[in-house]
Amino acid sequence: GDSVTQMEGPVTLSEEAFLTINCTYTATGYPSLFWYVQYPGEGLQLLLKATKADDKGSNKGFEATYRKETTSFHLEKGSVQVSDSAVYFCALNPYAGNNRKLIWGLGTSLAVNP
Amino acid sequence: DVKVTQSSRYLVKRTGEKVFLECVQDMDHENMFWYRQDPGLGLRLIYFSYDVKMKEKGDIPEGYSVSREKKERFSLILESASTNQTSMYLCASSPDSKGGYGYTFGSGTRLTVV
């Protein structure tokens, strides 16, 4: 069945370091892909998304490219800040027509030190 | 902006109590979801609803029930709270028609059962 695998955390970086959080997926159709972020004590917020192959989603300096050939959607940021400390979730929607059942990765915790 | 509002940020209840967690969304979304989030286990789907008065079990429905009497409101009920239901509970909603939309989450309710 459909699934999402993301790298285990925690990831600890110094401020201004380069960030990559790996996400790979298994899906039979043409899924949409998402990254969500959860700040401490909060719910999840949509960070970026891509709905078809080769699309690049971007927001707040974060980017991810939908790679169908490698079934990946890795999250990157060139220079992280302390305020980026959060848990990041990769997710896929296997259905083009609705948003009924997102499939979630387990989340990757990021801590950025000053 | 779409808003999903959970009635309480923090709740403390006693073992055996009946607990109601309320969730309201204001964007006329068809789909609503209840998740619980525990360290190391990611997001686990409890129940979801695609329409008024309809509900479907998710991955961990035992010990929970739900109610959706109006489109905007989706309630999670713990029939007899137990300590192993201490968790962060997240409500989400999504439109049925736009496959790449994803979910909008509430801020979460952190429930402690003592």
Side-chain angles (χ1 to χ4, degrees), chain B residues 6 21 35-36 46 64 76 85 87-90 108-109 111:
Chain B
Q6 295 184 230
L21 302 184
Y35 285 88
R36 65 176 282 177
I46 304 171
Y64 304 93
L76 179 70
Q85 292 178 310
S87 187
M88 173 73 127
Y89 290 88
L90 295 166
T109 296
L111 173 66

Side-chain angles (χ1 to χ4, degrees), chain B residues 56-82:
Chain B
E56 288 196 29
K57 293 180 180 178
D59 301 317
I60 52 162
E62 296 77 20
Y64 304 93
S65 63
V66 290
S67 173
R68 195 167 181 200
E69 295 296 318
K70 294 185 178 181
K71 190 175 185 179
E72 67 269 20
R73 185 179 296 270
F74 192 37
S75 303
L76 179 70
I77 304 154
L78 286 66
E79 298 291 343
S80 177
S82 64

Side-chain angles (χ1 to χ4, degrees), chain A residues 32 34-35 41 47 49 54 58-60 68 71 82-84 86 110:
Chain A
S32 298
F34 306 86
W35 277 102
L47 180 60
K49 67 180 182 181
D54 299 325
S58 61
N59 187 22
K60 299 182 181 179
K68 191 165 174 61
T71 61
V82 171
S83 57
D84 294 326
L110 170 66

Side-chain angles (χ1 to χ4, degrees), chain A residues 4-95:
Chain A
V4 173
T5 303
Q6 59 181 109
M7 63 188 282
E8 289 188 27
V11 174
T12 303
L13 295 173
S14 298
E15 207 164 24
E16 299 184 2
F18 185 86
L19 169 71
T20 300
I21 300 178
N22 290 337
C23 172
T24 57
Y25 68 89
T26 303
T28 52
Y30 299 92
S32 298
L33 299 170
F34 306 86
W35 277 102
Y36 281 78
V37 59
Q38 184 181 33
Y39 298 105
E42 300 290 329
L44 279 70
Q45 304 172 24
L46 178 65
L47 180 60
L48 54 84
K49 67 180 182 181
T51 57
K52 61 183 188 295
D54 299 325
D55 269 3
K56 177 186 280 189
S58 61
N59 187 22
K60 299 182 181 179
F62 291 88
E63 293 182 339
T65 301
Y66 185 157
R67 302 275 188 211
K68 191 165 174 61
E69 64 275 13
T70 54
T71 61
S72 65
F73 193 55
H74 304 321
L75 183 68
E76 297 182 335
K77 187 175 187 184
S79 176
V80 294
Q81 306 300 312
V82 171
S83 57
D84 294 326
S85 298
V87 180
Y88 293 82
F89 291 89
C90 185
L92 73 84
N93 179 1
Y95 306 113

